[in-house]
Amino acid sequence: MSMDQQQPNIPEQAPAPSFWRRGWRLLKRLVIAVVLLLAIVMGVLQLPAVQNWLAQRVTTALSNAMETTVSIDKLQVAWLDRLVLEQFYVEDLQPEDTLLYSRRLYADISLNPITYLRRGLVIEEIELDSATFNIRKPLNTEETNLQILLGRLFPPDTLRAEKDKRPFRFDVQRLSLNEVRFLKEDKVRGSVLDIALGQGLAIFETFDLPGKIIHAEVLHLKRPRVRIENYPSQPIITPEGDTISPWPEPDTATVPPTQPFYATISSFELDDGQFSLDNWRFESEKKTPPDELDYKHLDVFDINIGIDHFSFCSDSLDFEGEITEFMLQESSGFVLENLTVDDGRVWNHGLELYGMKLKTPYSELGDTLVFDYDTYEDFKDFPRAVKMDGRLHGSTVTLRDVMTFAPGLKENTFFKLNRERQLYVDGRFLGEVDNLDAKDMYLALENRSFVAEGDLKTTDLTNKDTRIIGLSLDLLRTNMRTLRQLLPRFRPPESFD
């Protein structure tokens, strides 16, 4: 037997694992461990006892920081992308008063990391049910309850540090509201803004609050109730006896101009709304009769609005859009059955309605109406402060509707005796109601007791003692009875009868 045949077979040893293979195995184990740990943590967070414990810790910390009561009945976090808060409550500065309450808040959050890097935190859906938010400024104070509580939560040094940080970005895609109320009461300035909403739905394309831009596909509001009340303001008296005005003048030299807020809505609908306004700053009681429209005391109901391609800019309170529906009633008896506008704009110095069709139970107007004014406050003295430019074609106006916006005409014999009659109108009308001019006009009462074609110029139309009416007519067909009603001081010879 040869020597080679007698030697035993020695098995070859496997080569030692390389550095990269060992690293890959370690990385796999580490990833598996991290995933298991996250799964355990997320599983633990689903336990009601753990979630309630976290809620108690958070509310206790907030209560201690803000020196008020903060409570949550139930906190539910589902796999870190769905959050539910039930019975969330923040007490006001005054015991038993409410700053914030929500019966239920639901949020569905996107966990897509690419979306987060591009758009920030994206909240796919928010649902808010039975919520109340009250902001109040008591007498002789410079800050609201919200400012005071936030000042406790974020002391001034913290606020200054936060200002230097990049603003946190978040985006909302869908917002649902049910039975929500917002109250802002300022006893120093003498104002109350009370907004209640039955239901609301908003679907957003862009929701960029730091950039002050919002684009919405849909905004639908059901049963909104808006109440505004103004009363005399009260100056602030400091402990040293100094007086601070409730309306301090802004320091335009030190305050840099800010970017205006801009919003668009493709489709806006408002159903069954109410609006009330009471201004008690100059009068402690309402002096106008119940059947007279009073711009200091409005009570509007059955409001229904539809607007397409709506836009808003905050620097001039500029509203634009195509009005597809606008209906309302006012407690004085005025009823707007419908208003449609092909191209409309309202801002703090004017109103423009092109392609307008306005209908009340007694009148129909079209097609262009433009108002020019200095501020919205001018509507309180509409007959003298608001300039009009109206182009009317094939319109019918009942004199009672004219008297609604110019109550001084109620003393005019012609208007009193013909308040239910329709007036057929064509032409262009310029100026204030009190100093109204007309060009190329056609006016005719329904019974043809008065027909006029030509131009008209008036002065103090709503004042029966100083009223002046100038006519440059191509045609006038009437009778002496109508002339005496229209011009009380017209005294022709008896033979004219």
Side-chain angles (χ1 to χ4, degrees), residues 425-456:
V425 184
D426 271 278
R428 184 178 182 185
F429 298 83
L430 302 163
E432 307 89 350
V433 170
D434 211 30
N435 299 281
L436 189 64
D437 297 342
K439 295 182 178 180
D440 299 324
M441 69 169 183
Y442 172 81
L443 300 177
L445 277 177
E446 61 180 26
N447 62 356
R448 295 299 190 271
S449 63
F450 179 85
V451 177
E453 294 181 16
D455 297 339
L456 169 74

Short mmCIF file of all heavy atoms in Angstrom, two decimals, residues 425-456:
data_model
loop_
_atom_site.label_atom_id
_atom_site.label_comp_id
_atom_site.label_asym_id
_atom_site.label_seq_id
_atom_site.Cartn_x
_atom_site.Cartn_y
_atom_site.Cartn_z
N VAL A 425 -87.90 100.71 -15.54
CA VAL A 425 -86.71 101.55 -15.54
C VAL A 425 -85.71 101.07 -16.58
O VAL A 425 -85.43 99.88 -16.70
CB VAL A 425 -86.03 101.54 -14.15
CG1 VAL A 425 -84.84 102.49 -14.13
CG2 VAL A 425 -87.02 101.90 -13.06
N ASP A 426 -85.17 102.03 -17.32
CA ASP A 426 -84.01 101.82 -18.19
C ASP A 426 -83.12 103.04 -18.07
O ASP A 426 -83.60 104.15 -17.78
CB ASP A 426 -84.42 101.64 -19.65
CG ASP A 426 -84.68 100.18 -19.99
OD1 ASP A 426 -83.72 99.45 -20.26
OD2 ASP A 426 -85.86 99.78 -19.96
N GLY A 427 -81.81 102.85 -18.28
CA GLY A 427 -80.92 104.00 -18.29
C GLY A 427 -79.76 103.83 -17.34
O GLY A 427 -79.53 102.75 -16.76
N ARG A 428 -79.02 104.92 -17.15
CA ARG A 428 -77.87 104.94 -16.26
C ARG A 428 -78.15 105.92 -15.14
O ARG A 428 -78.56 107.05 -15.37
CB ARG A 428 -76.61 105.35 -17.02
CG ARG A 428 -75.35 105.30 -16.16
CD ARG A 428 -74.12 105.68 -16.96
NE ARG A 428 -72.92 105.59 -16.14
CZ ARG A 428 -71.70 105.95 -16.55
NH1 ARG A 428 -71.54 106.43 -17.79
NH2 ARG A 428 -70.66 105.84 -15.76
N PHE A 429 -77.86 105.47 -13.89
CA PHE A 429 -78.15 106.28 -12.70
C PHE A 429 -76.85 106.47 -11.93
O PHE A 429 -76.15 105.51 -11.60
CB PHE A 429 -79.21 105.61 -11.84
CG PHE A 429 -80.53 105.47 -12.55
CD1 PHE A 429 -80.77 104.41 -13.41
CD2 PHE A 429 -81.53 106.42 -12.38
CE1 PHE A 429 -81.97 104.28 -14.08
CE2 PHE A 429 -82.73 106.31 -13.04
CZ PHE A 429 -82.96 105.24 -13.90
N LEU A 430 -76.56 107.73 -11.59
CA LEU A 430 -75.29 108.10 -10.99
C LEU A 430 -75.51 108.91 -9.72
O LEU A 430 -76.46 109.69 -9.63
CB LEU A 430 -74.43 108.91 -11.97
CG LEU A 430 -74.10 108.26 -13.31
CD1 LEU A 430 -73.63 109.32 -14.30
CD2 LEU A 430 -73.03 107.21 -13.12
N GLY A 431 -74.58 108.74 -8.74
CA GLY A 431 -74.60 109.57 -7.54
C GLY A 431 -75.20 108.86 -6.34
O GLY A 431 -75.56 107.69 -6.39
N GLU A 432 -75.31 109.60 -5.23
CA GLU A 432 -75.96 109.07 -4.04
C GLU A 432 -77.47 109.10 -4.22
O GLU A 432 -78.00 109.81 -5.07
CB GLU A 432 -75.57 109.89 -2.81
CG GLU A 432 -74.08 110.07 -2.58
CD GLU A 432 -73.53 111.29 -3.28
OE1 GLU A 432 -74.27 111.90 -4.10
OE2 GLU A 432 -72.36 111.64 -3.04
N VAL A 433 -78.16 108.31 -3.40
CA VAL A 433 -79.63 108.34 -3.44
C VAL A 433 -80.13 109.75 -3.19
O VAL A 433 -81.10 110.20 -3.82
CB VAL A 433 -80.20 107.37 -2.39
CG1 VAL A 433 -81.71 107.55 -2.25
CG2 VAL A 433 -79.89 105.92 -2.78
N ASP A 434 -79.48 110.48 -2.33
CA ASP A 434 -79.92 111.83 -1.97
C ASP A 434 -79.64 112.84 -3.08
O ASP A 434 -80.28 113.90 -3.12
CB ASP A 434 -79.22 112.27 -0.67
CG ASP A 434 -80.10 113.21 0.14
OD1 ASP A 434 -81.33 113.08 0.07
OD2 ASP A 434 -79.54 114.06 0.85
N ASN A 435 -78.68 112.55 -3.95
CA ASN A 435 -78.35 113.47 -5.05
C ASN A 435 -78.18 112.63 -6.32
O ASN A 435 -77.09 112.53 -6.88
CB ASN A 435 -77.06 114.24 -4.74
CG ASN A 435 -77.18 115.09 -3.50
OD1 ASN A 435 -77.75 116.17 -3.51
ND2 ASN A 435 -76.65 114.59 -2.39
N LEU A 436 -79.27 112.06 -6.76
CA LEU A 436 -79.23 111.07 -7.83
C LEU A 436 -79.44 111.73 -9.19
O LEU A 436 -80.34 112.54 -9.36
CB LEU A 436 -80.31 110.02 -7.59
CG LEU A 436 -80.27 108.78 -8.50
CD1 LEU A 436 -78.98 107.99 -8.27
CD2 LEU A 436 -81.48 107.90 -8.24
N ASP A 437 -78.59 111.37 -10.14
CA ASP A 437 -78.72 111.83 -11.51
C ASP A 437 -79.01 110.63 -12.40
O ASP A 437 -78.63 109.50 -12.10
CB ASP A 437 -77.43 112.51 -12.00
CG ASP A 437 -77.12 113.77 -11.19
OD1 ASP A 437 -78.03 114.28 -10.52
OD2 ASP A 437 -75.95 114.20 -11.24
N ALA A 438 -79.69 110.88 -13.52
CA ALA A 438 -80.00 109.82 -14.47
C ALA A 438 -79.75 110.34 -15.88
O ALA A 438 -80.04 111.49 -16.20
CB ALA A 438 -81.44 109.37 -14.33
N LYS A 439 -79.20 109.44 -16.71
CA LYS A 439 -78.93 109.79 -18.11
C LYS A 439 -79.60 108.77 -19.02
O LYS A 439 -79.57 107.57 -18.74
CB LYS A 439 -77.42 109.81 -18.37
CG LYS A 439 -76.68 110.89 -17.59
CD LYS A 439 -75.20 110.89 -17.94
CE LYS A 439 -74.46 112.00 -17.19
NZ LYS A 439 -73.01 112.02 -17.53
N ASP A 440 -80.19 109.29 -20.08
CA ASP A 440 -80.87 108.44 -21.07
C ASP A 440 -81.83 107.47 -20.38
O ASP A 440 -81.88 106.28 -20.68
CB ASP A 440 -79.85 107.64 -21.89
CG ASP A 440 -78.90 108.54 -22.66
OD1 ASP A 440 -79.36 109.59 -23.14
OD2 ASP A 440 -77.72 108.19 -22.77
N MET A 441 -82.61 108.02 -19.47
CA MET A 441 -83.47 107.16 -18.67
C MET A 441 -84.85 107.02 -19.33
O MET A 441 -85.29 107.85 -20.11
CB MET A 441 -83.66 107.74 -17.27
CG MET A 441 -84.48 109.01 -17.24
SD MET A 441 -84.96 109.53 -15.59
CE MET A 441 -85.97 110.97 -15.97
N TYR A 442 -85.49 105.91 -18.94
CA TYR A 442 -86.89 105.70 -19.28
C TYR A 442 -87.58 105.25 -18.00
O TYR A 442 -87.21 104.25 -17.38
CB TYR A 442 -87.04 104.62 -20.35
CG TYR A 442 -88.48 104.21 -20.59
CD1 TYR A 442 -89.32 104.97 -21.39
CD2 TYR A 442 -89.00 103.07 -19.97
CE1 TYR A 442 -90.63 104.60 -21.60
CE2 TYR A 442 -90.32 102.68 -20.17
CZ TYR A 442 -91.13 103.45 -20.98
OH TYR A 442 -92.45 103.09 -21.18
N LEU A 443 -88.57 106.02 -17.56
CA LEU A 443 -89.32 105.72 -16.35
C LEU A 443 -90.80 105.68 -16.70
O LEU A 443 -91.30 106.56 -17.39
CB LEU A 443 -89.10 106.78 -15.27
CG LEU A 443 -87.67 106.99 -14.76
CD1 LEU A 443 -87.64 108.14 -13.75
CD2 LEU A 443 -87.15 105.72 -14.10
N ALA A 444 -91.48 104.64 -16.19
CA ALA A 444 -92.91 104.56 -16.43
C ALA A 444 -93.56 103.79 -15.30
O ALA A 444 -93.14 102.68 -14.96
CB ALA A 444 -93.20 103.87 -17.76
N LEU A 445 -94.59 104.41 -14.68
CA LEU A 445 -95.40 103.69 -13.70
C LEU A 445 -96.24 102.65 -14.41
O LEU A 445 -96.61 102.81 -15.58
CB LEU A 445 -96.29 104.66 -12.93
CG LEU A 445 -95.66 105.39 -11.74
CD1 LEU A 445 -96.67 106.35 -11.13
CD2 LEU A 445 -95.15 104.43 -10.69
N GLU A 446 -96.57 101.59 -13.70
CA GLU A 446 -97.28 100.47 -14.32
C GLU A 446 -98.63 100.89 -14.90
O GLU A 446 -99.11 100.31 -15.89
CB GLU A 446 -97.47 99.34 -13.32
CG GLU A 446 -98.29 99.71 -12.10
CD GLU A 446 -98.45 98.56 -11.14
OE1 GLU A 446 -97.58 97.68 -11.12
OE2 GLU A 446 -99.45 98.56 -10.41
N ASN A 447 -99.27 101.90 -14.30
CA ASN A 447 -100.56 102.33 -14.85
C ASN A 447 -100.40 103.45 -15.88
O ASN A 447 -101.39 104.03 -16.33
CB ASN A 447 -101.47 102.81 -13.71
CG ASN A 447 -100.90 104.01 -12.97
OD1 ASN A 447 -99.78 104.45 -13.25
ND2 ASN A 447 -101.67 104.53 -12.02
N ARG A 448 -99.12 103.73 -16.23
CA ARG A 448 -98.79 104.75 -17.23
C ARG A 448 -99.28 106.14 -16.84
O ARG A 448 -99.42 107.01 -17.71
CB ARG A 448 -99.35 104.38 -18.61
CG ARG A 448 -98.75 103.10 -19.21
CD ARG A 448 -97.24 103.28 -19.40
NE ARG A 448 -96.64 102.20 -20.17
CZ ARG A 448 -96.15 101.07 -19.68
NH1 ARG A 448 -96.22 100.85 -18.36
NH2 ARG A 448 -95.60 100.15 -20.45
N SER A 449 -99.52 106.37 -15.55
CA SER A 449 -99.87 107.73 -15.12
C SER A 449 -98.65 108.64 -15.12
O SER A 449 -98.77 109.86 -15.00
CB SER A 449 -100.48 107.70 -13.72
OG SER A 449 -99.54 107.21 -12.76
N PHE A 450 -97.47 108.04 -15.26
CA PHE A 450 -96.24 108.84 -15.37
C PHE A 450 -95.29 108.11 -16.31
O PHE A 450 -94.93 106.95 -16.08
CB PHE A 450 -95.59 109.03 -14.00
CG PHE A 450 -94.31 109.82 -14.04
CD1 PHE A 450 -94.35 111.20 -14.01
CD2 PHE A 450 -93.08 109.18 -14.11
CE1 PHE A 450 -93.17 111.93 -14.06
CE2 PHE A 450 -91.90 109.90 -14.16
CZ PHE A 450 -91.95 111.28 -14.13
N VAL A 451 -94.89 108.77 -17.40
CA VAL A 451 -93.91 108.25 -18.34
C VAL A 451 -92.94 109.38 -18.65
O VAL A 451 -93.37 110.49 -18.98
CB VAL A 451 -94.56 107.73 -19.64
CG1 VAL A 451 -93.50 107.26 -20.62
CG2 VAL A 451 -95.56 106.63 -19.35
N ALA A 452 -91.63 109.09 -18.53
CA ALA A 452 -90.63 110.13 -18.78
C ALA A 452 -89.44 109.52 -19.50
O ALA A 452 -89.01 108.41 -19.19
CB ALA A 452 -90.19 110.79 -17.48
N GLU A 453 -88.90 110.29 -20.46
CA GLU A 453 -87.67 109.91 -21.15
C GLU A 453 -86.76 111.13 -21.18
O GLU A 453 -87.21 112.23 -21.50
CB GLU A 453 -87.96 109.45 -22.58
CG GLU A 453 -88.77 108.17 -22.67
CD GLU A 453 -89.00 107.75 -24.12
OE1 GLU A 453 -88.28 108.27 -25.00
OE2 GLU A 453 -89.90 106.92 -24.37
N GLY A 454 -85.49 110.94 -20.83
CA GLY A 454 -84.55 112.05 -20.83
C GLY A 454 -83.57 111.93 -19.69
O GLY A 454 -83.17 110.83 -19.30
N ASP A 455 -83.17 113.09 -19.13
CA ASP A 455 -82.19 113.13 -18.05
C ASP A 455 -82.84 113.68 -16.78
O ASP A 455 -83.83 114.43 -16.84
CB ASP A 455 -81.00 114.02 -18.43
CG ASP A 455 -80.24 113.46 -19.63
OD1 ASP A 455 -80.38 112.24 -19.88
OD2 ASP A 455 -79.53 114.24 -20.30
N LEU A 456 -82.24 113.30 -15.63
CA LEU A 456 -82.77 113.71 -14.33
C LEU A 456 -81.61 114.15 -13.45
O LEU A 456 -80.54 113.54 -13.45
CB LEU A 456 -83.51 112.54 -13.68
CG LEU A 456 -83.92 112.70 -12.21
CD1 LEU A 456 -85.09 113.67 -12.10
CD2 LEU A 456 -84.30 111.34 -11.60
#
